[in-house]
Structure formats: structure tokens, C-alpha cells
Amino acid sequence: MSATTTVTAAKKQVVIVGGVAGGASAAARLRRMAGPDKCEITLFERGEYVSFANCGLAYHIGGQIKDRDRLFLATPQSLVDKFQLDLRMKTEVIGIDTERKEITAVALASGVKSTMHYDALILSPGASPTKPPIPGIDHPRIRFLRDVPSMDAIKALVVETKTQTPPLPVLVLGGGYIGLEVAEAIVDQKLPCMLVEFADQVMVAADPEMTHPLHQELVQQGVDLRLSCTVASFTGADNHVIAKLTTGEEVMCSFAVVAIGVRPEVTLAKQAGIKLGERGGILVDEYLETSAPSVYAVGDAIEVKDYIGGFQTLIPLAGPANRQGRIVGTNLFTEGKKLTYKNTQGTAVCKVFGMTIAMTGENEKTLKRINRQYNKVYTHGMHHASYYPGGQMLSMKLVYDPSDGRILGAQAFGREGVDKRIDVVAVAIRSHMTVFDLEDLELCYAPPYGSAKDPVNMAGFIASNLLRGEFNQIHAEELKALLYDEAKVHQTFVLDVRQPEELFGGKIINSINIPLPELQTRLHELPRDRTIIVACGTGLRSYNATRLLCNKGFNAVNLSGGFRTWVTVTDNGAKKWMKSVVGTHVATTDSCSVSASGVVVSSSQVNGGVVVSTKPPQEIDAVGLKCPIPIIRTSRAFSTMDPGDTVIVTASDPSFQNDIPVWCRSTGNTLVKLEQVTQGTRATIRKGIIIETPQEPLTSASAAAPTEPVTVVKEVDATGMQCPGPILKLAQELSHLNFGQCLAITASDGGFAHDLPAWCRSTGNSLLSLDKTKDGHRAVIHKGPSAAQSAARSAGAVMTTATSSSSAAAALQSLPDMPLGISSKKKTIVVFSNDFDKVMAAFIIANGAAAMGSQVTMFFTFWGLTVIKSKITPVSVKKGWLDSMFGYMLPAGPGAMSKMNFFGLGGTMVKNVMAMHKVATLEELIDNAKQAGVRFIACSMAMELLGVAKEELIDGVEIGGVAMYLAAAEEGNVNLFIG
């Protein structure tokens, strides 16, 4: 009988380099898969903290996480006790011999080196903050946030800065996740903060228009936001740093935090000969194994494949790092099928004060870069049932493959419910769902939590309707290109179906307003020979209008996302965000002629961190041009400019020096300088209204008491209402008050604080205060002009100094030449003569009014019909002998007028003189008027009397009677008869 020999398998030696998310997760999973009798786990950590909440560091600086110890997910001793690890703290691995399967480590305290064999090696070195090559970057008051010691150092500087009187601002360089979190932390510590970002938007992982509300939120919270610039150099002393920006400005700050991104820690891997990927990270396969046998890598140091695009990328997120550690820990001891890492889709969320932005999958920028076919839809709705109190606006963008509807990505922003919706879409992407599947998702619903048609469902409805061909849409950037294309603008017809009360906050240039409830009865006002682009606030009412029009035989398309998306696309991060007189930062919008969103502050406020555009002034040479061409060219230039940009116009026309100040006041721009030069008059104009503000920044402590007693007679609760609900509610409630009475209104809608000042100014009411509350904003409105406002206007004040939030709000009302009551910018002109000089006068005035932002209607009757009569009579027009006789006697077109003056010689002589003096021809003025959206109406009665058929008129002319004319005249404030 032979003896039985028992062979004990040797323990597997697993070495892990680096703790925190990836390394600690791998260690824990390894121990769960294999006990100490099968596996020895040695974890090297060069720092003194092996497992801490890296993502919570900024929140401890800001004070949200008060107990520092809560950041430590596990202590070294607890890991040893729980998982039987050989934990080597403050020990750095400095070399790997992949052939011998051996690492070399050094104890940082003693400098003693040691070697260790491994059967499997897991690299989790993480990523380090990117250190830009900026002169002075090594100054001791310039910090990077990466770990607990760096957090402690920044917090110590915060404590020191709070002892300064007054405290210097803290500069944060970089507007990504870390930069935004640090900026919020600084503000939460009641310190001034300047955020500098090289791109024209913060959060570059999102599309530009989706970051628009983040910019608003940052500046509303007091962050001095600087976009499209960076720091050129740092200098300083022991207690401050001077940052010189690429704009040329020098900013003295207490200290700076650099957060422009991270780069993978690959030094150790590179020295060991382990392959790196095209993006500079450690290259791994689907099992997370590197090019070296038995060497694995996880976390921020590795390159991963993009889930949608399949390209190599770097996505330093905690969630993927934890899952990667778990996969490696499982595979080293599994006897079944090994787990694979199924790529990264970049699902992420970020808190920016009260706002949340989240995303998953591809953004539009990436899809364009990889040349991937896509379409997109926008939704704007409440995060739960609108009738339940506390609802907040939630906006979502969904991108999908137009060939099959597969979901490619999504982004959302709002104050509540954002993460829930993006999580749903993230699962849909992993499940290879299409937009049709989103229609059928059954999601939680109760009024406090959601809507019967969830925002995710709504995105699916819209995209699916598009794919089924139920309607067509146009995107804001496409519409903007049409409106600013001189060759195409006259072919574009934009119909705004919002209520008139909603237009105070801005409108799309050249748009015509017909409220949706009136559309059915006003179809005769719409052209059938052009595509009608339909817009509303969010895209819902315009969708209904688009369906109505298509059913009636019109060619109509819907503006995706409505005016809310239009504003974010046409006025995004590239705009220079300025501080307004109501103590918030807002941006003016180029979507309407009057700056409806706010005002631009004077560049004299250097300490407050206010920037006026650094672009060189645009020069306009209007020498030799006659009225109204200089004004028209100025207006066109401003339509494509950013707030704060400057134009210098030189004109020889003598009327220009009187016209340009009026134009500036009417359009909400600032005439900086008006001077006489050799060529005539030179005007320097800045886009936006400049109001002087105090040198010291406003604080609640320094705010002065209102100059007049305020008694609020009614409190209005508009929380939960989305735009335009709060404004419409305000208008309704204010109509019941007597002049001089005040009401207060509280609204949660994000745009309310920006819309309200413009509404008050437009309606002649006074905004006495605008304060941020936990529910949104609370405003006190005085019906009619306040006593201070009336006094300021009586004194003819040109500039107003705001000393508090209340007086600042009143300052907005005291701008010169602002009419009380509703200021209608509509003009009507009746043309019933074809005398050349009279028609010229009519079109000069019409073009000038349109350039000043007015809606102009021209009513042509009797001999005035010749102005809009085509030179070519269509063959299809059949007439009786009397109509034919009138048609023969009636000249056609502007070139055929004034034939009775010296048998036509008089008109010819006048035109020759006009050409010599470079006066625009009548044909040019008519074309300019059409492009500016001037409305042409032909008198139906006169057409019948004179035998003029509709087909004989130039394109774009409407047919109407006296009622149509009187309706336009009653809406306007100027009515001219030219005959």
C-alpha cells in the first residue's frame, strides 16, 4: 500500500499600486473571491490616506461636509483588519521588472528600498492635475486640488483670506468639474471668486447651449466669470498673487486654485515598457490587462473605448474606476467565464450652486468631430406635475441616429430631477434602445415626483414624430444662419405664436407675432410661397401651430426648443457676461433689438472684476452715404455682435449726428463718444446699456434702505410656474391694483430674474427690489413709476449710480427717454401717391424706423400701388377692357414713377443727382425694407377700382382693407400719411 502525499498550492501574490477608487475596490473584491490561504494582497500607497472620498474634497472646503473624518471611507487599520491586507503606506513603487515579475519600492520616510515578487500586478496610480507652463505657477499661493493634503492647504488659505479686510478674491483657473466645485466652495465661504476659463463655456464636456444656465447661475451667485481667456502669468508676494490675464488685465487675488484638467499617471508604466495608448493613457484590453503579462491597470490612468464611438478616450470618473477594480479582482480568481469591461459612456453629473447638469453618451461636438450622423431634439418642462408646488424647469437635449433612432447621448440641466432623467437615458443607451422605446417607458409618476408624460417620454415623442415624418424642424443655429444671410433673409418667414406679453423678454429678429389662439382666424396673413418657421417659448405650442399649418396646406417647420433654446444658442458662453445693476450677472441677447435680459456695467468698475469686450472696435465707413443707410449699416453690424463690443461709425451725412443718439437710446445701446472729424461725424457705440455702479461691490450689509416707504398690498406665489407663467400672473395681478400700490411675487422659474427688469421697463412699472430666496426669487413691483424714478426722469439724468440692490433696480427704470406705460415700437405709413419724392420719403422713414427696432407696416392705396406693382405682368392675368386701360395708364415699379414731370425727365434728373451724392436708390430702399421685415399691405378696394390683380404685385405683399390697416395703426404709436 502506497502512501498518499498531499500537495498544498502556493499562495498567489497580488501586488496593487495605488489605493482610492480603483486599487481599494480591487483589493476588497480580491479578498472576497479568495481568502488569505489562497492569496496574499499587498497594497502600496505613497500617501498617508489609502481610501478617501476624492469627489468630496471641494465640499469640505465649502463647508457642506463639516466633519473632515467623513471623507475617509476606510482607515488603513480598518482595511487591514477587514480584508487582511499587507498595507504599505507612504511607500512608493519606483520600478517594475515585467520579465522577473518584480517591483521595487521605497519607503518615503526612511528611503529604504525593497523588492517584491508578484504573480499579478494591478496598477492604479490615478491621474495628476495638469500643470500649465505659466510663469509663476510654482508660487506657494497657487494650489491644485487632488488629495487630502492639498485640500487642507486650500482650506487653510480660505481661513486666512477671511481675515483680510476686505478679503481679496480667490481665482479659480478652469471651469470643469473641479473648478466649478471649488468656485462654489469659495462663494459658500463668503469670499469673492473669479472663475477663468479658456474656452467660451464652462463644463466643456457638455454642448455650449447646455451650459448657458450654468453661466447664469454662476454670475447670479456672485462669481466673476471670465470666458475665452486664461492666465498669462502669476506674480505676487507672501499674502497675495497677481494674475495677469490674456486680456491684459491684472487681478490681485489672495490665492489661486488651478483646475484645468488631469493627466494620467503613466511614468511607472512607461519606464517598465508597458504600451501607452494614443491619448497617453495605459493601454488595456477588454480584461483590463496591459501589454505586459499578468499586469493589469484600472482607474484614471488607463485609456478606455468610448461606448458609442468606439474610439480611444480618457474618462476619469469614480464609477468606472470602481467597476474596473471589481472586474480585475473577480477575474484573478474566477473559474468561470471572465468578466470584460464594456467601455465607458461618460455618464456624469455636476452640482453648480442650485443648478444641476448631467450627461451621458456622446455630445453634439463629439459627433461632429467623428463625422457621425445624428439628429437632436430639445425639451423644456417641469420636473414634476406643474400644478404641484415647487416644480422646477428641466431642460433636456437628446441626440440620436436618424437612420434607426438609436439613442446616442443626452444632456440635461435644471434644479431638480436632472440626475434621474439622465440615469434613465444611460440605461437606455446600454440597452441599445431607440427613441421609439423611450415613448413606451413606464416611469414613476405622482405629482410630487414626476409627470404623466415624463421629460424622457417627451424627448422620445418628439424624436419619434420626426422619424415618422409627422413634422419637420429647424434648429436655432440653422435659423440664425438664415437670418444673417442677406441673400436668404427675405425668403425667411418666422412666425412667433407666443402671447404678446411674452415678447418683452426678447424675440427672434424679423419675426411676426400671431398668438396661437388667433392663428386659425388669421391664416390669410401668412405666405403660402415661403417656408414658415414657427416658434414659441419651448417648442410645444409651435409644434401644435406647425401641425395646424401643415394641415391647412402651408409649408411649416418647428423651431426646435423654441425661444428658450434660441437664446442659449445665439447668446452662449462666447458672450462676455457682465454684472447688472440688480446685483446679478446677466447677458444681453442678440435675439431682439433692445437688450431685454439685462444691462452691461461700466468698465470703470475694475475692482468688481467687470470686463468689457476685448475685441478691437469694428470700423464702419459710411462716408458718402445718405440717410438712412448709415443707420441701417450700424443696425446690421450690431445684430451679429456680442454685448460690450464696440463699433466706430464715420458718416458724412449731416443728419447722422442727430440720428445716432436717438438710435442708441431706442435700441438699448450706448453712445460712448460723438465727435466731429474731417469726413463728418464719428460715433463710438458700445452694444448694451452702460450704467455706472459703485466702486465697492454690493453686499447685503451695505445696501441702503429704500428711499420711499414700501407697503406690499398683495403677495403672489408663482413658484412652480414655467415661463411665461410668472410674468403673465404678475400682469394679471397688477391690473387689479391702483397706481402707486405695490405687490410682491415669488417665482422659481430660472429666467424670471432676467425677464422681470425688462418687463417692468417695458410696461412702465418700477422694480423696487429683487432678492434671491430658497424658492427662487422674490420681487417687489410698484405699479407705475416710483417717486425716485419720476424725479430722476424730470432731472434728465443720463447716468445713475446704484448704491443698493433696491436703488439699482430703480436705476434700470430711470434711463432717459424711456416712455411710461407700454412702449409700442410699431409704425404705420400710408402711401397714396406715386410721386417720386414722396415715395422716397416714405421708404427712408420706413427703413430708419425698422433699423431702430420698430415693426413697420406700409399701406399702399390708389396711385401708391404703383410702388409695389411688378414691372412684368404675368401672362396668366386676364382683364376686361376697362381694367386693361387702367393697367396701361398705371406705371409699374419704382423706376416708372413721376412720368408726368417733364415727360419723365424730372424723375431721371433727380435720380442722377441722387447717384452723384451716393443716395440709396428707391429700389435699394424697397429691398432693404423687405429684408428688415417691413410689412407691405395693398388696399383691396383700390386694387379693384384700378384693375390691379394680386399676381401683378411684387412678392411678399399682403392684401387687406381698411380694418387691417386700422388694426396696425391702433397698435402703433406713429401713423404717417404720405400723399
Side-chain angles (χ1 to χ4, degrees):
M1 183 175 179
S2 61
T4 301
T5 304
T6 302
V7 179
T8 303
K11 293 182 180 180
K12 181 178 286 188
Q13 180 67 48
V14 179
V15 173
I16 303 174
V17 179
V20 196
S25 294
R29 182 63 176 172
L30 274 168
R31 183 54 73 216
R32 295 187 186 102
M33 296 296 294
D37 58 324
K38 292 183 179 180
C39 173
E40 290 186 1
I41 305 171
T42 305
L43 194 155
F44 290 88
E45 171 57 51
R46 63 186 173 188
E48 56 182 310
Y49 306 100
V50 66
S51 182
F52 62 92
N54 197 303
C55 299
L57 299 178
Y59 297 110
H60 178 61
I61 295 173
Q64 290 92 347
I65 302 174
K66 299 186 183 301
D67 186 354
R68 180 175 178 271
D69 290 341
R70 291 182 65 86
L71 295 172
F72 304 115
L73 306 177
T75 64
Q77 190 58 50
S78 68
L79 287 176
V80 171
D81 295 342
K82 189 174 183 179
F83 298 109
Q84 294 81 51
L85 306 181
D86 179 4
L87 191 55
R88 309 286 181 94
M89 299 298 297
K90 298 182 181 179
T91 304
E92 182 176 6
V93 175
I94 58 174
I96 304 172
D97 188 332
T98 57
E99 291 185 1
R100 296 168 60 95
K101 289 191 173 183
E102 190 174 86
I103 61 99
T104 301
V106 58
L108 298 179
S110 63
V112 175
K113 293 182 180 180
S114 61
T115 60
M116 178 176 287
H117 171 79
Y118 66 82
D119 295 304
L121 174 64
I122 303 174
L123 301 179
S124 179
S128 59
T130 300
K131 185 176 181 180
I134 299 174
I137 192 72
D138 293 321
H139 191 282
R141 298 185 76 87
I142 298 172
R143 295 289 177 171
F144 300 81
L145 181 61
R146 183 192 184 186
D147 48 25
V148 174
S150 63
M151 176 196 73
D152 292 338
I154 292 173
K155 188 165 185 181
L157 288 171
V158 167
V159 173
E160 176 192 329
T161 303
K162 294 176 77 170
T163 65
Q164 300 172 354
T165 308
L168 291 172
V170 177
L171 187 145
V172 179
L173 180 57
Y177 294 97
I178 297 175
L180 291 171
E181 291 170 355
V182 171
E184 180 176 350
I186 298 302
V187 174
D188 286 343
Q189 289 289 354
K190 312 300 181 185
L191 292 176
C193 177
M194 174 184 288
L195 178 61
V196 179
E197 168 57 51
F198 178 74
D200 62 359
Q201 65 169 94
V202 300
M203 188 58 70
V204 294
D207 288 321
E209 75 275 18
M210 301 302 287
T211 64
H212 187 275
L214 302 186
H215 300 162
Q216 290 182 322
E217 183 71 10
L218 286 164
V219 293
Q220 281 185 359
Q221 297 292 341
V223 175
D224 187 355
L225 179 60
R226 309 295 184 89
L227 300 173
S228 302
C229 70
T230 188
V231 175
S233 65
F234 285 110
T235 57
D238 293 339
N239 61 350
H240 70 269
V241 173
I242 297 176
K244 184 173 183 179
L245 306 184
T246 51
T247 60
E249 183 183 4
E250 292 187 347
V251 180
M252 180 181 292
C253 52
S254 176
F255 66 94
V257 178
V258 178
I260 64 171
V262 296
R263 55 181 177 80
E265 284 271 19
V266 297
T267 302
L268 186 63
K270 188 176 182 180
Q271 290 175 349
I274 296 172
K275 288 184 179 180
L276 305 182
E278 59 190 62
R279 299 296 304 277
I282 300 173
L283 195 62
V284 295
D285 61 15
E286 66 269 32
Y287 303 106
L288 301 170
E289 188 170 10
T290 70
S291 60
S294 302
V295 179
Y296 302 82
V298 299
D300 297 350
I302 71 170
E303 282 190 11
V304 295
K305 279 190 176 181
D306 182 87
Y307 185 75
I308 299 293
F311 52 84
Q312 293 294 114
T313 187
L314 297 168
I315 303 182
L317 294 173
N322 276 280
R323 290 195 300 277
Q324 291 157 9
R326 183 178 185 277
I327 288 172
V328 173
T330 300
N331 287 345
L332 287 180
F333 284 93
T334 186
E335 296 181 359
K337 185 178 180 181
K338 290 187 176 182
L339 302 179
T340 59
Y341 184 68
K342 299 176 179 62
N343 304 335
T344 303
Q345 66 192 72
T347 305
V349 64
C350 184
K351 174 182 178 292
V352 184
F353 295 97
M355 187 68 66
T356 299
I357 185 169
M359 63 213 72
T360 187
E362 306 292 16
N363 57 39
E364 187 177 358
K365 292 183 293 188
T366 300
L367 292 171
K368 286 181 178 179
R369 178 174 58 82
I370 65 176
N371 199 28
R372 175 72 181 266
Q373 187 182 29
Y374 70 94
N375 201 354
K376 59 183 177 180
V377 295
Y378 297 91
T379 67
H380 305 281
M382 304 304 286
H383 88 283
H384 63 46
S386 59
Y387 56 83
Y388 188 85
Q392 298 287 348
M393 176 64 71
L394 188 151
S395 298
M396 178 180 288
K397 176 180 182 179
L398 184 77
V399 290
Y400 61 93
D401 191 323
S403 65
D404 57 9
R406 181 188 174 191
I407 303 166
L408 302 178
Q411 300 162 57
F413 62 80
R415 298 185 180 277
E416 298 285 348
V418 173
D419 53 339
K420 167 184 173 180
R421 272 65 187 207
I422 293 300
D423 281 343
V424 171
V425 179
V427 174
I429 291 175
R430 279 282 166 178
S431 302
H432 303 285
M433 288 185 179
T434 68
V435 296
F436 303 108
D437 296 314
L438 296 187
E439 291 183 294
D440 299 327
L441 289 183
E442 186 175 336
L443 304 174
C444 288
Y445 164 61
Y449 302 103
S451 301
K453 295 179 180 178
D454 191 85
V456 176
N457 296 132
M458 290 300 298
F461 293 152
I462 299 171
S464 298
N465 287 343
L466 284 167
L467 288 176
R468 295 187 187 105
E470 295 182 13
F471 77 107
N472 292 318
Q473 69 177 5
I474 186 173
H475 297 298
E477 62 272 18
E478 297 169 336
L479 175 57
K480 183 178 180 181
L482 289 176
L483 293 176
Y484 292 136
D485 187 331
E486 293 188 4
K488 297 179 180 179
V489 64
H490 65 282
Q491 304 170 3
T492 305
F493 189 94
V494 182
L495 173 64
D496 191 328
V497 297
R498 293 179 293 167
Q499 292 297 114
E501 295 89 347
E502 300 176 61
L503 304 183
F504 71 91
K507 70 184 194 70
I508 300 172
I509 56 176
N510 297 337
S511 61
I512 303 301
N513 176 230
I514 301 179
L516 181 59
E518 303 175 18
L519 185 58
Q520 184 77 42
T521 60
R522 296 176 63 180
L523 295 177
H524 62 279
E525 301 177 29
L526 303 177
R528 290 186 177 273
D529 59 345
R530 285 190 281 173
T531 299
I532 300 174
I533 299 169
V534 191
C536 70
T538 63
L540 178 58
R541 285 172 291 174
S542 56
Y543 166 70
N544 293 329
T546 300
R547 293 298 307 143
L548 186 156
L549 293 174
C550 290
N551 289 336
K552 294 292 184 178
F554 290 88
N555 181 16
V557 299
N558 189 34
L559 176 62
S560 178
F563 186 75
R564 188 176 287 267
T565 297
W566 165 265
V567 171
T568 63
V569 171
T570 59
D571 177 37
N572 194 57
K575 302 290 185 273
K576 299 299 180 288
W577 287 77
M578 308 297 179
K579 187 176 291 183
S580 83
V581 293
V582 293
T584 61
H585 288 58
V586 294
T588 54
T589 174
D590 58 6
S591 56
C592 55
S593 59
V594 178
S595 175
S597 299
V599 294
V600 181
V601 83
S602 170
S603 59
S604 62
Q605 187 182 349
V606 177
N607 292 339
V610 177
V611 175
V612 174
S613 175
T614 57
K615 299 177 184 175
Q618 180 177 340
E619 295 271 359
I620 297 178
D621 183 7
V623 175
L625 302 178
K626 299 299 181 183
C627 176
I629 300 303
I631 293 292
I632 291 175
R633 290 200 174 180
T634 304
S635 178
R636 286 182 176 175
F638 267 69
S639 69
T640 59
M641 292 173 62
D642 297 339
D645 287 355
T646 301
V647 161
I648 299 176
V649 187
T650 304
S652 56
D653 186 79
S655 65
F656 180 74
Q657 63 179 327
N658 296 321
D659 287 347
I660 197 64
V662 177
W663 180 86
C664 288
R665 289 197 299 269
S666 177
T667 56
N669 296 300
T670 300
L671 180 60
V672 177
K673 190 176 183 180
L674 188 64
E675 57 187 330
Q676 296 300 314
V677 294
T678 305
Q679 300 97 323
T681 303
R682 175 177 293 151
T684 303
I685 311 160
R686 184 171 297 143
K687 185 168 183 177
I689 303 171
I690 297 180
I691 295 181
E692 294 289 354
T693 60
Q695 295 297 314
E696 293 297 326
L698 300 177
T699 63
S700 58
S702 64
T707 58
E708 52 187 303
V710 175
T711 302
V712 174
V713 299
K714 187 173 183 62
E715 288 278 352
V716 179
D717 182 9
T719 56
M721 294 183 177
Q722 62 179 343
C723 180
I727 291 297
L728 297 179
K729 181 75 171 176
L730 171 61
Q732 178 186 2
E733 296 292 344
L734 203 63
S735 67
H736 301 311
L737 268 60
N738 297 323
F739 280 95
Q741 290 184 317
C742 300
L743 66 73
I745 181 170
T746 303
S748 55
D749 182 71
F752 180 73
H754 305 293
D755 292 344
L756 184 60
W759 182 87
C760 288
R761 200 175 78 186
S762 174
T763 57
N765 297 298
S766 301
L767 177 59
L768 300 184
S769 65
L770 182 60
D771 301 309
K772 189 169 181 60
T773 67
K774 64 182 181 65
D775 297 320
H777 286 87
R778 182 180 184 272
V780 177
I781 296 97
H782 180 283
K783 185 169 183 177
S786 65
Q789 177 182 340
S790 300
R793 285 183 174 169
S794 299
V798 176
M799 304 295 276
T800 302
T801 300
T803 58
S804 71
S805 60
S806 296
S807 59
L812 188 59
Q813 309 301 318
S814 61
L815 296 175
D817 296 335
M818 293 294 178
L820 299 180
I822 297 178
S823 174
S824 173
K825 300 200 69 177
K826 297 183 179 181
K827 312 288 186 288
T828 54
I829 302 174
V830 180
V831 183
F832 54 91
S833 170
N834 69 340
D835 286 351
F836 183 77
D837 52 350
K838 296 175 181 177
V839 176
M840 279 291 296
F843 275 94
I844 288 173
I845 294 171
N847 276 277
M852 295 178 69
S854 291
Q855 297 180 27
V856 181
T857 300
M858 300 185 75
F859 189 79
F860 300 87
T861 185
F862 289 99
W863 299 106
L865 289 171
T866 62
V867 181
I868 54 174
K869 187 180 177 186
S870 176
K871 294 181 180 181
I872 302 175
T873 302
V875 177
S876 60
V877 176
K878 305 295 183 181
K879 296 186 177 183
W881 73 269
L882 183 60
D883 290 344
S884 298
M885 184 63 67
F886 269 116
Y888 177 76
M889 292 187 296
L890 214 78
M897 294 184 290
S898 298
K899 293 299 183 184
M900 298 302 293
N901 297 326
F902 297 101
F903 302 97
L905 292 177
T908 301
M909 293 170 60
V910 171
K911 294 175 184 177
N912 287 335
V913 172
M914 290 170 56
M916 291 172 56
H917 290 276
K918 297 183 179 180
V919 177
T921 66
L922 182 55
E923 289 86 351
E924 292 171 338
L925 290 174
I926 292 175
D927 186 58
N928 283 335
K930 291 172 65 177
Q931 291 190 30
V934 174
R935 189 181 180 193
F936 292 177
I937 300 177
C939 175
S940 57
M941 181 271 293
M943 289 175 62
E944 185 174 350
L945 287 177
L946 299 178
V948 177
K950 179 180 179 181
E951 291 79 7
E952 294 180 89
L953 301 179
I954 62 177
D955 292 337
V957 177
E958 304 173 54
I959 309 300
V962 65
M964 193 170 177
Y965 152 68
L966 288 175
E970 289 174 356
E971 292 178 358
N973 60 352
V974 173
N975 187 27
L976 299 177
F977 286 82
I978 299 179

